[in-house]
Amino acid sequence: MATFDWLQLFKRHNINYVTEGPNYSRKMQAVIRCPFCGDADPSEHLGVAKAGWWGCLRNAAHRGKSPHFLIQKLLGCSPEEARRIV
């Protein structure tokens, strides 16, 4: 899979992200508040990589290898719209 520009998506949809700090790793393009943890995530615990995979540091069930599912959760869009975005 080609790289996915998460930062462009976050900027376009006003999703807060960070590119430094205690939960950030050089493997990641950015970290965001985990949409699966919701209010239980006190800060940015979901890392996203250019390769498309993503994962939450708080809950191993909140991980995936494709950007589509995360985009659906973040934007509340259909699978078709998520595929179009990717």
Side-chain angles (χ1 to χ4, degrees):
M1 170 178 206
T3 61
F4 183 76
D5 190 350
W6 288 105
L7 299 185
Q8 182 181 9
L9 176 87
F10 298 155
K11 290 174 187 173
R12 186 179 315 132
H13 295 281
N14 297 315
I15 297 170
N16 292 326
Y17 67 91
V18 296
T19 56
E20 58 183 31
N23 298 326
Y24 177 76
S25 158
R26 282 182 270 162
K27 295 178 184 178
M28 301 293 168
Q29 188 174 18
V31 288
I32 62 172
R33 175 171 265 166
C34 179
F36 302 99
C37 290
D39 291 337
D41 185 355
S43 64
E44 296 82 10
H45 283 98
L46 187 119
V48 294
K50 281 188 173 188
W53 58 267
W54 44 273
C56 178
L57 295 173
R58 298 182 77 243
N59 186 330
H62 302 163
R63 294 183 181 160
K65 294 182 180 181
S66 170
H68 301 89
F69 187 67
L70 179 57
I71 290 170
Q72 282 180 257
K73 181 70 173 173
L74 287 171
L75 304 183
C77 67
S78 69
E80 294 79 19
E81 179 68 8
R83 278 192 291 277
R84 187 192 66 73
I85 291 169
V86 173

